[in-house]
Amino acid sequence: MVMTMDDVDRFEAFRPRLEAVAYRLLGSASEAEDAVQETFLRWQGADTGRIEVPEAWLTKVLTNLCLNQLTSARARRETYVGQWLPEPLLAGDRMLGPADTAEQRESVSYAVLVLLERLSPNERAVYVLREAFDYPHREIAEILDITEASSQQIFHRAKKHVADGRARRTEIDEAAARRIIDEFLAAAASGRTEPLVQLLTGDAVAVGDGGGKVPARARAFEGALAVAKFMRGLFKPSAAKRALVGGSPDVYAWTANGDPALVVVVDGRVIGVMCLEIAADGIAAFRNQVNPDKLERATRLWAAGDHGEPLLTVF
């Protein structure tokens, strides 16, 4: 089929939504881009004049491409070196998608993306389409070739799995998030464990993803004391650390996936994004992405903006 400019324009108008769906399904911006591009190739080869609802057609094609990708990704992650964490998206990234409701904001939070890894591909697809994009179960059923009743059942099961795995997360405003980050950095830079313990929940965890390319512990640190000791050591100056990362990193307060985060930068290159999960009684989790392959998009976005002065220069 010959594609017209109108066909291209229709696809490009919907591309941001497709990217947002694919990212939530895959947890990887680069894989999401590939899935959207493959969807475009399918659109290019289709008889678009006979497609009554382009949005529905494109979403169905994209979702099924992502489901195939999720199936193969499960096998790959069994051999992944260390902990696997999603690719973080910094504030301003269009792939974050809609954030008008609490459900939409939570659906792209780093903590929820981690939990979505526990779901089956179909559970993940139903949860994302319903919770983040408010698709009715009738349309989800058509996209996944299941019954409407099955879609409802899968959604309730997936939502329960996510809720059962959630920490006591609370939404906080920007000023409160900045205050918590300032307190954390002051405690971490003090070289003392006690101030850090006081900022953490008793069951706090710290997880790092180095992908086998950057040193990161294979297992999570669990409990306030263990996490505090790890953070104290992480922020302790060291010539070996400077040599490892290529300089003295600047630390900025930012947001990633809608949550408070620390962005660590050396010579304009993002070398780490630490996402904080905040509960009513303290910091419940640190999820630190240091795999360079998963920080390329963050580096490009960071380079395009002005972020002011760093809060801290470490090492």
Side-chain angles (χ1 to χ4, degrees), residues 23 27 84-89 105-116 166 169 209 256-259 273-277 286-290 294:
Y23 172 71
W84 185 95
L85 290 174
E87 182 176 346
L89 297 183
R105 291 190 294 272
E106 178 154 294
S107 72
V108 78
S109 74
Y110 214 56
V112 165
L113 288 179
V114 170
L115 289 172
L116 292 183
R166 295 292 283 115
R169 180 180 183 271
D209 177 353
N257 294 74
D259 288 330
V273 176
M274 180 182 289
C275 299
L276 280 65
E277 184 173 1
F286 299 90
R287 296 181 177 91
N288 193 19
Q289 182 57 261
V290 292
K294 298 182 183 181

PDB file of all heavy atoms in Angstrom, residues 23 27 84-89 105-116 166 169 209 256-259 273-277 286-290 294:
ATOM      1  N   TYR A  23       5.983   2.069  26.977  1.00  0.00           N
ATOM      2  CA  TYR A  23       6.926   2.185  28.092  1.00  0.00           C
ATOM      3  C   TYR A  23       6.371   1.526  29.347  1.00  0.00           C
ATOM      4  O   TYR A  23       7.080   0.808  30.058  1.00  0.00           O
ATOM      5  CB  TYR A  23       7.245   3.650  28.369  1.00  0.00           C
ATOM      6  CG  TYR A  23       8.058   3.841  29.638  1.00  0.00           C
ATOM      7  CD1 TYR A  23       9.394   3.444  29.684  1.00  0.00           C
ATOM      8  CD2 TYR A  23       7.481   4.367  30.791  1.00  0.00           C
ATOM      9  CE1 TYR A  23      10.136   3.585  30.844  1.00  0.00           C
ATOM     10  CE2 TYR A  23       8.227   4.515  31.948  1.00  0.00           C
ATOM     11  CZ  TYR A  23       9.551   4.118  31.976  1.00  0.00           C
ATOM     12  OH  TYR A  23      10.273   4.242  33.136  1.00  0.00           O
ATOM     13  N   GLY A  27       8.740  -1.238  30.424  1.00  0.00           N
ATOM     14  CA  GLY A  27       9.695  -0.721  31.412  1.00  0.00           C
ATOM     15  C   GLY A  27      11.005  -0.283  30.807  1.00  0.00           C
ATOM     16  O   GLY A  27      11.992  -0.074  31.521  1.00  0.00           O
ATOM     17  N   TRP A  84      17.288  -6.331  38.228  1.00  0.00           N
ATOM     18  CA  TRP A  84      16.770  -5.625  37.059  1.00  0.00           C
ATOM     19  C   TRP A  84      15.820  -4.543  37.521  1.00  0.00           C
ATOM     20  O   TRP A  84      14.900  -4.786  38.303  1.00  0.00           O
ATOM     21  CB  TRP A  84      16.026  -6.572  36.125  1.00  0.00           C
ATOM     22  CG  TRP A  84      15.582  -5.921  34.841  1.00  0.00           C
ATOM     23  CD1 TRP A  84      16.246  -5.921  33.652  1.00  0.00           C
ATOM     24  CD2 TRP A  84      14.377  -5.165  34.619  1.00  0.00           C
ATOM     25  NE1 TRP A  84      15.544  -5.203  32.709  1.00  0.00           N
ATOM     26  CE2 TRP A  84      14.402  -4.732  33.277  1.00  0.00           C
ATOM     27  CE3 TRP A  84      13.297  -4.811  35.427  1.00  0.00           C
ATOM     28  CZ2 TRP A  84      13.377  -3.965  32.723  1.00  0.00           C
ATOM     29  CZ3 TRP A  84      12.279  -4.036  34.882  1.00  0.00           C
ATOM     30  CH2 TRP A  84      12.323  -3.628  33.546  1.00  0.00           C
ATOM     31  N   LEU A  85      16.049  -3.301  37.056  1.00  0.00           N
ATOM     32  CA  LEU A  85      15.147  -2.195  37.321  1.00  0.00           C
ATOM     33  C   LEU A  85      14.760  -1.542  36.000  1.00  0.00           C
ATOM     34  O   LEU A  85      15.513  -1.598  35.020  1.00  0.00           O
ATOM     35  CB  LEU A  85      15.817  -1.150  38.223  1.00  0.00           C
ATOM     36  CG  LEU A  85      16.065  -1.543  39.680  1.00  0.00           C
ATOM     37  CD1 LEU A  85      16.864  -0.453  40.388  1.00  0.00           C
ATOM     38  CD2 LEU A  85      14.755  -1.806  40.416  1.00  0.00           C
ATOM     39  N   PRO A  86      13.596  -0.901  35.951  1.00  0.00           N
ATOM     40  CA  PRO A  86      13.183  -0.230  34.712  1.00  0.00           C
ATOM     41  C   PRO A  86      14.113   0.918  34.345  1.00  0.00           C
ATOM     42  O   PRO A  86      14.922   1.381  35.164  1.00  0.00           O
ATOM     43  CB  PRO A  86      11.778   0.293  35.041  1.00  0.00           C
ATOM     44  CG  PRO A  86      11.335  -0.462  36.245  1.00  0.00           C
ATOM     45  CD  PRO A  86      12.585  -0.796  37.000  1.00  0.00           C
ATOM     46  N   GLU A  87      13.983   1.379  33.132  1.00  0.00           N
ATOM     47  CA  GLU A  87      14.708   2.558  32.677  1.00  0.00           C
ATOM     48  C   GLU A  87      13.982   3.800  33.194  1.00  0.00           C
ATOM     49  O   GLU A  87      12.793   3.981  32.923  1.00  0.00           O
ATOM     50  CB  GLU A  87      14.748   2.584  31.145  1.00  0.00           C
ATOM     51  CG  GLU A  87      15.505   3.738  30.544  1.00  0.00           C
ATOM     52  CD  GLU A  87      15.579   3.647  29.030  1.00  0.00           C
ATOM     53  OE1 GLU A  87      15.285   2.582  28.463  1.00  0.00           O
ATOM     54  OE2 GLU A  87      15.927   4.678  28.413  1.00  0.00           O
ATOM     55  N   PRO A  88      14.638   4.654  33.971  1.00  0.00           N
ATOM     56  CA  PRO A  88      13.936   5.818  34.532  1.00  0.00           C
ATOM     57  C   PRO A  88      13.702   6.903  33.492  1.00  0.00           C
ATOM     58  O   PRO A  88      14.511   7.109  32.590  1.00  0.00           O
ATOM     59  CB  PRO A  88      14.898   6.300  35.623  1.00  0.00           C
ATOM     60  CG  PRO A  88      16.256   5.889  35.140  1.00  0.00           C
ATOM     61  CD  PRO A  88      16.054   4.594  34.392  1.00  0.00           C
ATOM     62  N   LEU A  89      12.583   7.607  33.638  1.00  0.00           N
ATOM     63  CA  LEU A  89      12.269   8.742  32.780  1.00  0.00           C
ATOM     64  C   LEU A  89      12.256  10.003  33.628  1.00  0.00           C
ATOM     65  O   LEU A  89      11.532  10.094  34.625  1.00  0.00           O
ATOM     66  CB  LEU A  89      10.903   8.560  32.108  1.00  0.00           C
ATOM     67  CG  LEU A  89      10.759   7.370  31.157  1.00  0.00           C
ATOM     68  CD1 LEU A  89       9.365   7.380  30.525  1.00  0.00           C
ATOM     69  CD2 LEU A  89      11.831   7.366  30.077  1.00  0.00           C
ATOM     70  N   ARG A 105      -0.666   8.808  37.544  1.00  0.00           N
ATOM     71  CA  ARG A 105       0.656   9.116  38.095  1.00  0.00           C
ATOM     72  C   ARG A 105       1.271   7.874  38.727  1.00  0.00           C
ATOM     73  O   ARG A 105       2.469   7.612  38.566  1.00  0.00           O
ATOM     74  CB  ARG A 105       0.547  10.251  39.125  1.00  0.00           C
ATOM     75  CG  ARG A 105       0.210  11.598  38.501  1.00  0.00           C
ATOM     76  CD  ARG A 105       0.351  12.721  39.495  1.00  0.00           C
ATOM     77  NE  ARG A 105      -0.625  12.636  40.574  1.00  0.00           N
ATOM     78  CZ  ARG A 105      -1.845  13.177  40.523  1.00  0.00           C
ATOM     79  NH1 ARG A 105      -2.254  13.782  39.421  1.00  0.00           N
ATOM     80  NH2 ARG A 105      -2.654  13.090  41.566  1.00  0.00           N
ATOM     81  N   GLU A 106       0.471   7.114  39.442  1.00  0.00           N
ATOM     82  CA  GLU A 106       1.013   5.937  40.104  1.00  0.00           C
ATOM     83  C   GLU A 106       1.393   4.856  39.101  1.00  0.00           C
ATOM     84  O   GLU A 106       2.367   4.135  39.299  1.00  0.00           O
ATOM     85  CB  GLU A 106       0.008   5.375  41.113  1.00  0.00           C
ATOM     86  CG  GLU A 106       0.517   4.118  41.803  1.00  0.00           C
ATOM     87  CD  GLU A 106      -0.106   3.904  43.172  1.00  0.00           C
ATOM     88  OE1 GLU A 106       0.151   4.711  44.071  1.00  0.00           O
ATOM     89  OE2 GLU A 106      -0.821   2.910  43.321  1.00  0.00           O
ATOM     90  N   SER A 107       0.660   4.765  37.989  1.00  0.00           N
ATOM     91  CA  SER A 107       0.912   3.693  37.021  1.00  0.00           C
ATOM     92  C   SER A 107       2.289   3.785  36.382  1.00  0.00           C
ATOM     93  O   SER A 107       2.804   2.792  35.864  1.00  0.00           O
ATOM     94  CB  SER A 107      -0.165   3.698  35.926  1.00  0.00           C
ATOM     95  OG  SER A 107      -0.004   4.811  35.065  1.00  0.00           O
ATOM     96  N   VAL A 108       2.901   4.988  36.404  1.00  0.00           N
ATOM     97  CA  VAL A 108       4.224   5.143  35.807  1.00  0.00           C
ATOM     98  C   VAL A 108       5.291   5.344  36.874  1.00  0.00           C
ATOM     99  O   VAL A 108       6.459   5.535  36.554  1.00  0.00           O
ATOM    100  CB  VAL A 108       4.225   6.319  34.797  1.00  0.00           C
ATOM    101  CG1 VAL A 108       4.294   7.664  35.505  1.00  0.00           C
ATOM    102  CG2 VAL A 108       5.336   6.176  33.774  1.00  0.00           C
ATOM    103  N   SER A 109       4.904   5.293  38.147  1.00  0.00           N
ATOM    104  CA  SER A 109       5.902   5.434  39.207  1.00  0.00           C
ATOM    105  C   SER A 109       6.885   4.275  39.142  1.00  0.00           C
ATOM    106  O   SER A 109       6.556   3.170  38.704  1.00  0.00           O
ATOM    107  CB  SER A 109       5.228   5.482  40.583  1.00  0.00           C
ATOM    108  OG  SER A 109       4.756   4.207  40.962  1.00  0.00           O
ATOM    109  N   TYR A 110       8.092   4.535  39.587  1.00  0.00           N
ATOM    110  CA  TYR A 110       9.139   3.521  39.499  1.00  0.00           C
ATOM    111  C   TYR A 110       8.764   2.280  40.306  1.00  0.00           C
ATOM    112  O   TYR A 110       8.987   1.147  39.877  1.00  0.00           O
ATOM    113  CB  TYR A 110      10.450   4.128  40.017  1.00  0.00           C
ATOM    114  CG  TYR A 110      11.677   3.617  39.298  1.00  0.00           C
ATOM    115  CD1 TYR A 110      11.802   3.724  37.923  1.00  0.00           C
ATOM    116  CD2 TYR A 110      12.712   3.040  40.008  1.00  0.00           C
ATOM    117  CE1 TYR A 110      12.929   3.275  37.272  1.00  0.00           C
ATOM    118  CE2 TYR A 110      13.851   2.581  39.367  1.00  0.00           C
ATOM    119  CZ  TYR A 110      13.954   2.699  37.995  1.00  0.00           C
ATOM    120  OH  TYR A 110      15.071   2.236  37.354  1.00  0.00           O
ATOM    121  N   ALA A 111       8.175   2.506  41.480  1.00  0.00           N
ATOM    122  CA  ALA A 111       7.807   1.374  42.337  1.00  0.00           C
ATOM    123  C   ALA A 111       6.780   0.477  41.664  1.00  0.00           C
ATOM    124  O   ALA A 111       6.879  -0.755  41.721  1.00  0.00           O
ATOM    125  CB  ALA A 111       7.267   1.883  43.668  1.00  0.00           C
ATOM    126  N   VAL A 112       5.786   1.075  41.011  1.00  0.00           N
ATOM    127  CA  VAL A 112       4.758   0.271  40.351  1.00  0.00           C
ATOM    128  C   VAL A 112       5.327  -0.452  39.138  1.00  0.00           C
ATOM    129  O   VAL A 112       4.997  -1.621  38.878  1.00  0.00           O
ATOM    130  CB  VAL A 112       3.544   1.137  39.973  1.00  0.00           C
ATOM    131  CG1 VAL A 112       2.637   0.418  38.979  1.00  0.00           C
ATOM    132  CG2 VAL A 112       2.740   1.486  41.224  1.00  0.00           C
ATOM    133  N   LEU A 113       6.200   0.208  38.378  1.00  0.00           N
ATOM    134  CA  LEU A 113       6.813  -0.473  37.231  1.00  0.00           C
ATOM    135  C   LEU A 113       7.588  -1.708  37.680  1.00  0.00           C
ATOM    136  O   LEU A 113       7.605  -2.732  36.983  1.00  0.00           O
ATOM    137  CB  LEU A 113       7.742   0.484  36.480  1.00  0.00           C
ATOM    138  CG  LEU A 113       7.069   1.593  35.676  1.00  0.00           C
ATOM    139  CD1 LEU A 113       8.122   2.476  35.020  1.00  0.00           C
ATOM    140  CD2 LEU A 113       6.132   1.027  34.624  1.00  0.00           C
ATOM    141  N   VAL A 114       8.234  -1.614  38.843  1.00  0.00           N
ATOM    142  CA  VAL A 114       8.929  -2.787  39.383  1.00  0.00           C
ATOM    143  C   VAL A 114       7.930  -3.898  39.701  1.00  0.00           C
ATOM    144  O   VAL A 114       8.150  -5.068  39.386  1.00  0.00           O
ATOM    145  CB  VAL A 114       9.738  -2.397  40.638  1.00  0.00           C
ATOM    146  CG1 VAL A 114      10.270  -3.644  41.339  1.00  0.00           C
ATOM    147  CG2 VAL A 114      10.899  -1.476  40.259  1.00  0.00           C
ATOM    148  N   LEU A 115       6.806  -3.516  40.310  1.00  0.00           N
ATOM    149  CA  LEU A 115       5.791  -4.508  40.665  1.00  0.00           C
ATOM    150  C   LEU A 115       5.136  -5.130  39.431  1.00  0.00           C
ATOM    151  O   LEU A 115       4.753  -6.306  39.454  1.00  0.00           O
ATOM    152  CB  LEU A 115       4.719  -3.864  41.547  1.00  0.00           C
ATOM    153  CG  LEU A 115       5.146  -3.505  42.968  1.00  0.00           C
ATOM    154  CD1 LEU A 115       4.059  -2.696  43.652  1.00  0.00           C
ATOM    155  CD2 LEU A 115       5.454  -4.766  43.772  1.00  0.00           C
ATOM    156  N   LEU A 116       5.010  -4.362  38.364  1.00  0.00           N
ATOM    157  CA  LEU A 116       4.391  -4.895  37.152  1.00  0.00           C
ATOM    158  C   LEU A 116       5.190  -6.054  36.569  1.00  0.00           C
ATOM    159  O   LEU A 116       4.643  -6.880  35.823  1.00  0.00           O
ATOM    160  CB  LEU A 116       4.227  -3.787  36.106  1.00  0.00           C
ATOM    161  CG  LEU A 116       3.217  -2.685  36.418  1.00  0.00           C
ATOM    162  CD1 LEU A 116       3.115  -1.715  35.247  1.00  0.00           C
ATOM    163  CD2 LEU A 116       1.850  -3.247  36.761  1.00  0.00           C
ATOM    164  N   ARG A 166       2.666  -3.028  47.249  1.00  0.00           N
ATOM    165  CA  ARG A 166       3.032  -1.630  47.417  1.00  0.00           C
ATOM    166  C   ARG A 166       3.469  -1.322  48.832  1.00  0.00           C
ATOM    167  O   ARG A 166       2.936  -1.847  49.803  1.00  0.00           O
ATOM    168  CB  ARG A 166       1.830  -0.720  47.088  1.00  0.00           C
ATOM    169  CG  ARG A 166       1.385  -0.776  45.657  1.00  0.00           C
ATOM    170  CD  ARG A 166       2.412  -0.185  44.703  1.00  0.00           C
ATOM    171  NE  ARG A 166       2.379   1.273  44.736  1.00  0.00           N
ATOM    172  CZ  ARG A 166       3.372   2.021  45.156  1.00  0.00           C
ATOM    173  NH1 ARG A 166       4.489   1.486  45.568  1.00  0.00           N
ATOM    174  NH2 ARG A 166       3.273   3.338  45.160  1.00  0.00           N
ATOM    175  N   ARG A 169       3.149   4.086  50.260  1.00  0.00           N
ATOM    176  CA  ARG A 169       3.504   5.292  49.503  1.00  0.00           C
ATOM    177  C   ARG A 169       2.477   6.399  49.740  1.00  0.00           C
ATOM    178  O   ARG A 169       1.288   6.137  49.852  1.00  0.00           O
ATOM    179  CB  ARG A 169       3.555   4.959  48.014  1.00  0.00           C
ATOM    180  CG  ARG A 169       3.926   6.130  47.107  1.00  0.00           C
ATOM    181  CD  ARG A 169       3.926   5.655  45.665  1.00  0.00           C
ATOM    182  NE  ARG A 169       4.347   6.708  44.746  1.00  0.00           N
ATOM    183  CZ  ARG A 169       3.529   7.573  44.192  1.00  0.00           C
ATOM    184  NH1 ARG A 169       2.249   7.534  44.480  1.00  0.00           N
ATOM    185  NH2 ARG A 169       3.974   8.477  43.347  1.00  0.00           N
ATOM    186  N   ASP A 209      20.748  -1.374  40.037  1.00  0.00           N
ATOM    187  CA  ASP A 209      20.835  -2.084  38.761  1.00  0.00           C
ATOM    188  C   ASP A 209      22.060  -1.567  38.013  1.00  0.00           C
ATOM    189  O   ASP A 209      22.069  -0.444  37.507  1.00  0.00           O
ATOM    190  CB  ASP A 209      19.563  -1.848  37.947  1.00  0.00           C
ATOM    191  CG  ASP A 209      19.593  -2.494  36.561  1.00  0.00           C
ATOM    192  OD1 ASP A 209      20.653  -3.020  36.165  1.00  0.00           O
ATOM    193  OD2 ASP A 209      18.550  -2.473  35.878  1.00  0.00           O
ATOM    194  N   ALA A 256      11.838  11.641  38.821  1.00  0.00           N
ATOM    195  CA  ALA A 256      11.901  10.590  37.802  1.00  0.00           C
ATOM    196  C   ALA A 256      10.647   9.740  37.961  1.00  0.00           C
ATOM    197  O   ALA A 256      10.296   9.344  39.078  1.00  0.00           O
ATOM    198  CB  ALA A 256      13.144   9.727  37.971  1.00  0.00           C
ATOM    199  N   ASN A 257       9.959   9.533  36.869  1.00  0.00           N
ATOM    200  CA  ASN A 257       8.704   8.784  36.901  1.00  0.00           C
ATOM    201  C   ASN A 257       7.728   9.388  37.910  1.00  0.00           C
ATOM    202  O   ASN A 257       6.947   8.686  38.552  1.00  0.00           O
ATOM    203  CB  ASN A 257       8.965   7.307  37.198  1.00  0.00           C
ATOM    204  CG  ASN A 257       9.736   6.636  36.082  1.00  0.00           C
ATOM    205  OD1 ASN A 257      10.941   6.852  35.937  1.00  0.00           O
ATOM    206  ND2 ASN A 257       9.062   5.849  35.273  1.00  0.00           N
ATOM    207  N   GLY A 258       7.793  10.700  38.053  1.00  0.00           N
ATOM    208  CA  GLY A 258       6.864  11.404  38.910  1.00  0.00           C
ATOM    209  C   GLY A 258       7.221  11.388  40.381  1.00  0.00           C
ATOM    210  O   GLY A 258       6.530  12.013  41.195  1.00  0.00           O
ATOM    211  N   ASP A 259       8.291  10.701  40.764  1.00  0.00           N
ATOM    212  CA  ASP A 259       8.677  10.589  42.163  1.00  0.00           C
ATOM    213  C   ASP A 259       9.951  11.376  42.438  1.00  0.00           C
ATOM    214  O   ASP A 259      10.743  11.639  41.526  1.00  0.00           O
ATOM    215  CB  ASP A 259       8.916   9.119  42.528  1.00  0.00           C
ATOM    216  CG  ASP A 259       7.627   8.322  42.608  1.00  0.00           C
ATOM    217  OD1 ASP A 259       6.592   8.921  42.954  1.00  0.00           O
ATOM    218  OD2 ASP A 259       7.650   7.113  42.337  1.00  0.00           O
ATOM    219  N   VAL A 273      20.525   7.467  38.490  1.00  0.00           N
ATOM    220  CA  VAL A 273      19.252   8.066  38.895  1.00  0.00           C
ATOM    221  C   VAL A 273      18.741   7.252  40.072  1.00  0.00           C
ATOM    222  O   VAL A 273      18.478   6.051  39.943  1.00  0.00           O
ATOM    223  CB  VAL A 273      18.216   8.067  37.755  1.00  0.00           C
ATOM    224  CG1 VAL A 273      16.877   8.617  38.261  1.00  0.00           C
ATOM    225  CG2 VAL A 273      18.711   8.887  36.567  1.00  0.00           C
ATOM    226  N   MET A 274      18.656   7.894  41.237  1.00  0.00           N
ATOM    227  CA  MET A 274      18.186   7.222  42.443  1.00  0.00           C
ATOM    228  C   MET A 274      16.756   7.671  42.721  1.00  0.00           C
ATOM    229  O   MET A 274      16.511   8.834  43.058  1.00  0.00           O
ATOM    230  CB  MET A 274      19.081   7.554  43.635  1.00  0.00           C
ATOM    231  CG  MET A 274      18.647   6.890  44.936  1.00  0.00           C
ATOM    232  SD  MET A 274      19.696   7.360  46.348  1.00  0.00           S
ATOM    233  CE  MET A 274      21.225   6.485  45.943  1.00  0.00           C
ATOM    234  N   CYS A 275      15.814   6.764  42.561  1.00  0.00           N
ATOM    235  CA  CYS A 275      14.405   7.065  42.789  1.00  0.00           C
ATOM    236  C   CYS A 275      14.049   6.731  44.232  1.00  0.00           C
ATOM    237  O   CYS A 275      14.352   5.632  44.715  1.00  0.00           O
ATOM    238  CB  CYS A 275      13.528   6.252  41.844  1.00  0.00           C
ATOM    239  SG  CYS A 275      13.835   6.595  40.094  1.00  0.00           S
ATOM    240  N   LEU A 276      13.400   7.676  44.907  1.00  0.00           N
ATOM    241  CA  LEU A 276      13.007   7.493  46.297  1.00  0.00           C
ATOM    242  C   LEU A 276      11.519   7.192  46.379  1.00  0.00           C
ATOM    243  O   LEU A 276      10.708   7.842  45.700  1.00  0.00           O
ATOM    244  CB  LEU A 276      13.304   8.753  47.123  1.00  0.00           C
ATOM    245  CG  LEU A 276      14.750   8.979  47.596  1.00  0.00           C
ATOM    246  CD1 LEU A 276      15.692   9.187  46.427  1.00  0.00           C
ATOM    247  CD2 LEU A 276      14.796  10.178  48.540  1.00  0.00           C
ATOM    248  N   GLU A 277      11.182   6.224  47.184  1.00  0.00           N
ATOM    249  CA  GLU A 277       9.772   5.942  47.472  1.00  0.00           C
ATOM    250  C   GLU A 277       9.488   6.441  48.879  1.00  0.00           C
ATOM    251  O   GLU A 277      10.087   5.981  49.850  1.00  0.00           O
ATOM    252  CB  GLU A 277       9.468   4.449  47.359  1.00  0.00           C
ATOM    253  CG  GLU A 277       7.991   4.147  47.548  1.00  0.00           C
ATOM    254  CD  GLU A 277       7.660   2.684  47.269  1.00  0.00           C
ATOM    255  OE1 GLU A 277       8.573   1.900  46.946  1.00  0.00           O
ATOM    256  OE2 GLU A 277       6.466   2.334  47.389  1.00  0.00           O
ATOM    257  N   PHE A 286      14.950   2.971  48.070  1.00  0.00           N
ATOM    258  CA  PHE A 286      15.837   3.623  47.119  1.00  0.00           C
ATOM    259  C   PHE A 286      16.030   2.641  45.965  1.00  0.00           C
ATOM    260  O   PHE A 286      16.431   1.495  46.185  1.00  0.00           O
ATOM    261  CB  PHE A 286      17.200   3.918  47.736  1.00  0.00           C
ATOM    262  CG  PHE A 286      17.166   4.837  48.925  1.00  0.00           C
ATOM    263  CD1 PHE A 286      17.027   4.318  50.208  1.00  0.00           C
ATOM    264  CD2 PHE A 286      17.294   6.210  48.775  1.00  0.00           C
ATOM    265  CE1 PHE A 286      17.018   5.147  51.319  1.00  0.00           C
ATOM    266  CE2 PHE A 286      17.282   7.047  49.869  1.00  0.00           C
ATOM    267  CZ  PHE A 286      17.133   6.522  51.153  1.00  0.00           C
ATOM    268  N   ARG A 287      15.750   3.091  44.754  1.00  0.00           N
ATOM    269  CA  ARG A 287      15.976   2.241  43.585  1.00  0.00           C
ATOM    270  C   ARG A 287      16.929   3.005  42.674  1.00  0.00           C
ATOM    271  O   ARG A 287      16.560   4.020  42.092  1.00  0.00           O
ATOM    272  CB  ARG A 287      14.654   1.897  42.902  1.00  0.00           C
ATOM    273  CG  ARG A 287      13.734   1.068  43.804  1.00  0.00           C
ATOM    274  CD  ARG A 287      12.425   0.684  43.132  1.00  0.00           C
ATOM    275  NE  ARG A 287      11.627  -0.171  44.008  1.00  0.00           N
ATOM    276  CZ  ARG A 287      10.727   0.281  44.874  1.00  0.00           C
ATOM    277  NH1 ARG A 287      10.511   1.594  44.980  1.00  0.00           N
ATOM    278  NH2 ARG A 287      10.044  -0.548  45.637  1.00  0.00           N
ATOM    279  N   ASN A 288      18.129   2.481  42.552  1.00  0.00           N
ATOM    280  CA  ASN A 288      19.226   3.212  41.929  1.00  0.00           C
ATOM    281  C   ASN A 288      19.584   2.595  40.585  1.00  0.00           C
ATOM    282  O   ASN A 288      20.077   1.460  40.517  1.00  0.00           O
ATOM    283  CB  ASN A 288      20.437   3.208  42.869  1.00  0.00           C
ATOM    284  CG  ASN A 288      21.493   4.207  42.448  1.00  0.00           C
ATOM    285  OD1 ASN A 288      21.219   5.131  41.694  1.00  0.00           O
ATOM    286  ND2 ASN A 288      22.708   4.013  42.925  1.00  0.00           N
ATOM    287  N   GLN A 289      19.327   3.345  39.521  1.00  0.00           N
ATOM    288  CA  GLN A 289      19.664   2.863  38.182  1.00  0.00           C
ATOM    289  C   GLN A 289      21.023   3.412  37.782  1.00  0.00           C
ATOM    290  O   GLN A 289      21.209   4.628  37.643  1.00  0.00           O
ATOM    291  CB  GLN A 289      18.601   3.319  37.179  1.00  0.00           C
ATOM    292  CG  GLN A 289      18.816   2.833  35.758  1.00  0.00           C
ATOM    293  CD  GLN A 289      18.909   1.317  35.674  1.00  0.00           C
ATOM    294  OE1 GLN A 289      20.020   0.767  35.617  1.00  0.00           O
ATOM    295  NE2 GLN A 289      17.769   0.645  35.694  1.00  0.00           N
ATOM    296  N   VAL A 290      22.005   2.517  37.609  1.00  0.00           N
ATOM    297  CA  VAL A 290      23.353   2.947  37.212  1.00  0.00           C
ATOM    298  C   VAL A 290      23.836   2.220  35.959  1.00  0.00           C
ATOM    299  O   VAL A 290      24.975   2.420  35.531  1.00  0.00           O
ATOM    300  CB  VAL A 290      24.366   2.745  38.372  1.00  0.00           C
ATOM    301  CG1 VAL A 290      24.067   3.699  39.508  1.00  0.00           C
ATOM    302  CG2 VAL A 290      24.381   1.300  38.865  1.00  0.00           C
ATOM    303  N   LYS A 294      20.801   2.092  30.293  1.00  0.00           N
ATOM    304  CA  LYS A 294      19.469   2.570  30.657  1.00  0.00           C
ATOM    305  C   LYS A 294      19.460   4.050  31.052  1.00  0.00           C
ATOM    306  O   LYS A 294      18.450   4.553  31.541  1.00  0.00           O
ATOM    307  CB  LYS A 294      18.901   1.727  31.808  1.00  0.00           C
ATOM    308  CG  LYS A 294      18.715   0.255  31.458  1.00  0.00           C
ATOM    309  CD  LYS A 294      18.110  -0.502  32.626  1.00  0.00           C
ATOM    310  CE  LYS A 294      17.980  -1.985  32.321  1.00  0.00           C
ATOM    311  NZ  LYS A 294      17.359  -2.735  33.439  1.00  0.00           N
TER     312      LYS A 294
END
